[in-house]
């Protein structure tokens, strides 16, 4: 039996540890701090929701093809899909013509392009983005939902915050445990070089999110 130090770190733990600094940076970003501190209006929240729509469209539009992939396939799960929930939120936030005038910020376009590229060419790398978004939505996303409901008066788990509500996941903690077990199994199916590349891609996923926050932050200058 190998000594404990020779056993590989479970992939889920490797991803979490490697991205912990980037996670802190995202949490403490100016845009998130201002938004969740109640210093921005509902227009900024609607803006964030619109940008997320581009990201999730990129994450979800190739789900069917990815379902057959050896590494990414086990993660394709309709219970996670967010595009329809985002569209309901956007109809509430921007009105029925919510697509009119909606454009991706440069950072959002770059983020979505990266996800699309990976979904097509490197599904193991796509997995890094899947983890970064969906496990985050099931975690900190729940905190964001509560604050959004209180700050802008959305109905509990209703229109405006449906993005954060996973109707088909009764027990998020159990789901996350099971998701991490899937990550660990995926890690065992990858060689060391590939594992490291996926971990690097995960950090990049956080950086891409941070860039969207920066672009959004610049749209809402501090009032004098
Ligand atoms: C103010 C914003 C945020 C707050 C308050 C927050 C809070 C949290 C909390 C409390 C957890 C731990 C949950 C647990 O251990 O079960 C968590 C996990 C996580 N968050 Fe965030 N988060 C925020 C932003 C983000 C962003 C922007 C991303 C990425 C786009 C993100 C991605 C993740 C991921 C991937 C995890 C799972 C870590 C793991 O257990 O492997 N979070 N977040």
């Amino acid at each position: 039996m190998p000594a404990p130090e020779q056993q590989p770190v479970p992939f889920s733990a490797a991803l979490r540890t490697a991205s912990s600094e980037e996670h802190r940076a995202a949490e403490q970003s100016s845009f998130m701090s201002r938004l969740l501190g109640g210093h921005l209006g509902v227009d900024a929240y609607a803006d964030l929701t619109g940008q997320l729509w581009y990201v999730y469209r990129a994450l979800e539009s190739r789900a069917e093809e990815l379902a057959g992939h050896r590494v990414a396939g086990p993660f394709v799960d309709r219970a996670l899909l967010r595009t329809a929930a985002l569209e309901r939120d956007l109809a509430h936030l921007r009105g029925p013509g919510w697509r009119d005038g909606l454009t991706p910020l440069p950072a959002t376009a770059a983020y979505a392009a990266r996800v699309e590229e990976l979904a097509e060419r490197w599904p193991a790398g796509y997995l890094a983005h899947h983890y970064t978004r969906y496990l985050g939505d099931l975690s900190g996303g729940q905190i964001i939902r509560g604050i959004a409901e209180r700050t802008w008066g959305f109905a509990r788990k209703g229109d405006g915050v449906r993005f954060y509500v996973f109707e088909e996941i009764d027990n998020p903690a159990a789901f996350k445990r099971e998701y991490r077990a899937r990550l660990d199994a995926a890690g065992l199916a990858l060689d060391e070089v590939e594992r490291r590349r996926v971990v690097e891609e995960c950090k990049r996923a956080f950086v891409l999110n941070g860039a969207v926050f920066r672009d959004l932050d610049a749209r809402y200058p501090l009032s004098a």
Side-chain angles (χ1 to χ4, degrees):
M1 205 172 126
E5 68 272 16
Q6 288 175 314
Q7 289 175 3
V9 177
F11 198 40
S12 60
L15 287 167
R16 173 193 265 184
T17 308
S19 60
S20 67
E21 242 173 68
E22 286 78 4
H23 183 269
R24 213 176 1 261
E27 252 182 296
Q28 294 172 358
S29 65
S30 169
F31 183 72
M32 268 295 146
S33 306
R34 290 167 74 203
L35 192 76
L36 301 180
H39 305 298
L40 291 173
V42 71
D43 53 336
Y45 176 81
D47 208 353
L48 170 65
T49 308
Q51 299 305 308
L52 288 173
W53 180 74
Y54 291 100
V55 173
Y56 282 82
R57 223 174 38 148
L59 277 166
E60 295 175 357
S61 58
R62 298 182 82 91
E64 265 177 46
E65 292 141 78
L66 286 165
H69 188 266
R70 183 177 65 97
V71 177
F75 294 86
V76 174
D77 185 338
R78 58 183 307 276
L80 289 172
L81 297 179
R82 300 288 82 208
T83 304
L86 281 165
E87 292 182 357
R88 282 187 73 177
D89 287 340
L90 285 167
H92 181 72
L93 294 162
R94 291 173 58 93
W98 61 267
R99 274 214 68 174
D100 301 341
L102 183 66
T103 48
L105 285 158
T108 307
Y111 183 6
R114 179 67 180 160
V115 172
E116 275 161 16
E117 181 190 3
L118 295 179
E120 194 184 331
R121 302 211 193 129
W122 183 37
Y126 164 89
L127 175 54
H129 290 269
H130 194 280
Y131 160 78
T132 303
R133 282 298 340 173
Y134 294 110
L135 222 57
D137 300 332
L138 284 162
S139 308
Q142 300 314 300
I143 300 169
I144 297 172
R145 174 176 63 76
I147 295 176
E149 287 167 0
R150 288 194 297 279
T151 307
W152 298 294
F154 302 121
R156 192 174 129 73
K157 297 191 175 183
D159 286 342
V161 292
R162 290 191 189 277
F163 167 68
Y164 300 98
V165 182
F166 290 83
E167 303 270 7
E168 294 179 41
I169 298 178
D170 294 333
N171 183 342
F175 187 95
K176 285 197 288 184
R177 269 197 303 280
E178 202 266 323
Y179 187 99
R180 288 190 186 107
R182 272 185 270 170
L183 281 177
D184 294 342
L188 293 174
L190 300 171
D191 65 30
E192 189 50 34
V193 172
E194 189 83 336
R195 272 168 59 105
R196 259 192 246 138
R197 283 181 69 210
V198 175
V199 167
E200 284 310 307
E201 188 62 37
C202 178
K203 292 194 202 181
R204 184 167 176 181
F206 274 89
V207 170
L208 289 165
N209 276 279
V212 174
F213 293 158
R214 262 195 310 283
D215 272 7
L216 280 167
D217 202 47
R219 267 226 277 237
Y220 300 91
L222 290 169
S223 44

